Amino acid sequence: MIYQLARRGPAGRPGPERHENPFDDVVEQIDQAARVLGLDPREVEVLKHPRRQVIVSIPIVMDDGQTRIFTGYRVLHDTTRGPGKGGIRYHPGVNLDEVKALAAWMSWKCALVDVAFGGAKGGVTCDPGTMSEGELERLTRRYVAEIFDLIGPTLDIPAPDVGTDARVMAWVMDTYSMKKGYVEPGVVTGKPLLLGGSRGREAATGRGLLIVTREALRHLGRSLNGARVVVQGFGNVGSNAARLLAAAGAQVVAVSDVRGGISCPDGVDVARLLRFRQETGSVVGFPRTEPLTNDELLTMPCDVLLPAALEGQINEGNADRIRAGLIVEGANGPTTSEADEILVRRGIPVVPDIMANAGGVVVSYFEWVQDRYGYFWPEDEVNARLEEKMVGAYDALRVGAERFNLGNDFRTAAYAVAMERILEARRLRGLYA
Ligand code: NAD
């Protein structure tokens, strides 16, 4: 999987070469942004070298009494604008090059939405689906103990990612706090509410997607009201986005999950669909809808296509058949680089993931701010601040696309705006020697 996240370069340019090493794709993105920004490649060299890369061995006793050694990573890509921020991934495919690429990607995302963080990422090569809760807890605590000196509210703040959740973040917070000798909720975000999590965090990525979709449609001279929206994936991101889009006046005409899709030309009743999914475990079979496959869903005519499931869903095999007026990337890396080129050529605008799904990291930032204050905001306040951040970021993207003459190539514009901010901050700080 995972790989795909960094395998995509800015689209609409001489297509990025495909590399075995995902960090090579990041290097290419950096060179691409340098060309757009009119910079000498030497000026961006520093972004190609993560500030710190750490590999740790994590021995734990498994439930069968055997000791197994896992490998863990933590990479701090850039800290020019603030402490590192990035998730902890538990997945069998985790390796150093992937973590480096994902850390760089966090640097761009945090800069684009203008939160005071740099980019980081961590992970452990393991298969959490085959591990017991006790094994996962021991793995997490030992991993945190190994990277204890490198994380902290002013250094590097982890969060959930693929294979980790609020439960794991609670163990991170507890292990760190016990070793420090005092409670330190600000060491990690995505925690349960009772341990210093933020109100509004759970729906934040979906709410961010609503805001970005509305802004992008307005920018393109279209309206959210009555817009026909297709949502792939009905998990945290897809279901919250669908619910909020429908409440804001859009018509959600098709939805899918891993088992298949459903469509209803008059608009799906999303509130009822949520209850149905809760009872049956899937959207499939929802009354008064027609079944359809994921391929049919991705290629049906609509105003907005919102891929919110997996990476690589829009690819060479279907990009020519996509009939959406706008694609807003809810998932990370749902569009391959080949598909990107086809979509740019066909004039279908794509709001890239680093912009579209950034609502989660924005509210993670708010969680960190509240933890550091020790004072927690009501949900309305979190949502109002999220709105302000996302609208500001989309505006910067729109202005960047115009300034760099990129037309509707919003992906390249997003990378260029983000890197320009980091490089300007570096220039202001100068080089410590
Ligand atoms: P999730 O596990 O809650 O939901 C995933 C959904 O996708 C489920 O409904 C699942 O059935 C569906 N799905 C899986 N395979 C599918 C397939 N082949 N076809 C159609 N549907 C399929 O995950 P999530 O938290 O909603 O994350 C979705 C994506 O958004 C991921 O790429 C994730 O990295 C990204 N993302 C999540 C957040 C967040 O805050 N949760 C933030 C940023 C990005």
Side-chain angles (χ1 to χ4, degrees):
M1 83 166 274
I2 322 292
Y3 226 73
Q4 202 64 47
L5 302 183
R7 284 195 77 135
R8 301 155 324 114
R13 308 271 122 199
E17 275 176 46
R18 296 178 70 83
H19 301 102
E20 284 310 306
N21 177 345
F23 196 72
D24 288 345
D25 294 292
V26 170
V27 167
E28 202 159 290
Q29 288 165 7
I30 293 168
D31 287 336
Q32 174 65 36
R35 284 194 287 277
V36 169
L37 294 168
L39 297 173
D40 188 293
R42 279 170 300 190
E43 289 178 79
V44 296
E45 183 63 26
V46 69
L47 297 178
K48 299 179 185 174
H49 301 270
R51 179 162 177 190
R52 182 163 57 213
Q53 307 169 47
V54 175
I55 304 179
V56 294
S57 295
I58 308 164
I60 64 160
V61 178
M62 306 298 281
D63 290 348
D64 64 5
Q66 302 288 316
T67 299
R68 259 187 76 186
I69 321 279
F70 293 86
T71 304
Y73 306 89
R74 189 74 196 170
V75 171
L76 202 51
H77 173 258
D78 182 77
T79 54
T80 312
R81 306 174 77 249
K85 184 89 192 90
I88 297 173
R89 177 169 289 196
Y90 288 175
H91 189 274
V94 167
N95 61 62
L96 181 63
D97 289 323
E98 176 186 290
V99 177
K100 277 166 65 182
L102 293 167
W105 211 28
M106 283 304 296
S107 297
W108 317 151
K109 195 182 249 189
C110 291
L112 183 64
V113 291
D114 197 17
V115 292
F117 288 140
K121 203 80 178 188
V124 179
T125 315
C126 66
D127 186 355
T130 64
M131 296 171 69
S132 69
E133 180 161 315
E135 289 168 344
L136 283 172
E137 179 173 354
R138 294 193 288 281
L139 179 87
T140 303
R141 291 189 182 280
R142 183 61 187 255
Y143 171 59
V144 173
E146 293 295 337
I147 60 169
F148 173 72
D149 289 332
L150 310 175
I151 60 172
T154 57
L155 287 176
D156 179 2
I157 305 119
D161 192 74
V162 174
T164 58
D165 56 14
R167 183 80 204 81
V168 174
M169 297 308 112
W171 292 326
V172 173
M173 181 268 205
D174 181 68
T175 306
Y176 186 86
S177 298
M178 291 309 290
K179 280 177 74 72
K180 276 284 179 196
Y182 53 85
V183 178
E184 186 47 275
V187 65
V188 70
T189 62
K191 298 180 295 297
L193 259 187
L194 279 170
L195 296 178
S198 177
R199 288 184 180 82
R201 172 65 186 87
E202 203 174 325
T205 307
R207 186 172 294 280
L209 279 165
L210 159 70
I211 298 164
V212 168
T213 304
R214 188 196 64 213
E215 292 302 299
L217 286 170
R218 183 183 294 162
H219 171 198
L220 297 167
R222 306 170 201 167
S223 164
L224 181 64
N225 201 22
R228 294 158 57 80
V229 180
V230 167
V231 182
Q232 187 199 34
F234 204 63
N236 173 290
V237 177
S239 67
N240 278 303
R243 176 177 64 83
L244 293 163
L245 281 160
Q251 249 191 343
V252 178
V253 291
V255 172
S256 69
D257 62 26
V258 69
R259 293 202 215 153
I262 51 156
S263 73
C264 175
D266 299 330
V268 177
D269 182 337
V270 182
R272 281 188 50 227
L273 178 61
L274 279 162
R275 286 196 293 276
F276 180 83
R277 198 267 321 260
Q278 184 109 30
E279 286 157 18
T280 67
S282 175
V283 299
V284 174
F286 185 55
R288 289 186 289 282
T289 59
E290 293 295 318
L292 81 174
T293 64
N294 261 296
D295 185 64
E296 288 166 339
L297 173 130
L298 289 172
T299 54
M300 67 185 276
C302 61
D303 297 307
V304 181
L305 172 60
L306 212 156
L310 300 175
E311 71 288 348
Q313 293 296 298
I314 302 173
N315 50 45
E316 253 179 323
N318 58 19
D320 267 326
R321 294 182 288 124
I322 302 274
R323 287 181 288 167
L326 169 71
I327 298 173
V328 183
E329 294 186 334
N332 281 320
T335 313
T336 65
S337 51
E338 294 85 352
D340 241 346
E341 285 168 37
I342 295 168
L343 296 170
V344 169
R345 196 175 65 233
R346 292 185 59 211
I348 298 179
V350 179
V351 183
D353 43 17
I354 64 165
M355 170 75 253
N357 69 29
V361 84
V362 169
V363 176
S364 269
Y365 169 67
F366 295 159
E367 180 176 334
W368 174 78
V369 170
Q370 293 170 82
D371 287 337
R372 303 212 76 206
Y373 262 135
Y375 181 78
F376 292 85
W377 308 335
E379 187 164 345
D380 283 357
E381 186 167 348
V382 173
N383 291 344
R385 289 176 188 261
L386 174 64
E387 164 90 22
E388 192 186 334
K389 272 279 174 216
M390 296 301 285
V391 168
Y394 187 83
D395 213 42
L397 176 64
R398 182 183 58 74
V399 170
E402 284 165 15
R403 189 157 55 98
F404 304 128
N405 278 322
L406 289 166
N408 283 351
D409 181 0
F410 300 139
R411 196 183 307 280
T412 304
Y415 285 123
V417 168
M419 285 185 220
E420 185 179 46
R421 283 189 180 158
I422 296 170
L423 290 166
E424 181 57 21
R426 289 196 85 99
R427 269 191 290 272
L428 288 168
R429 283 184 61 164
L431 192 62
Y432 176 78

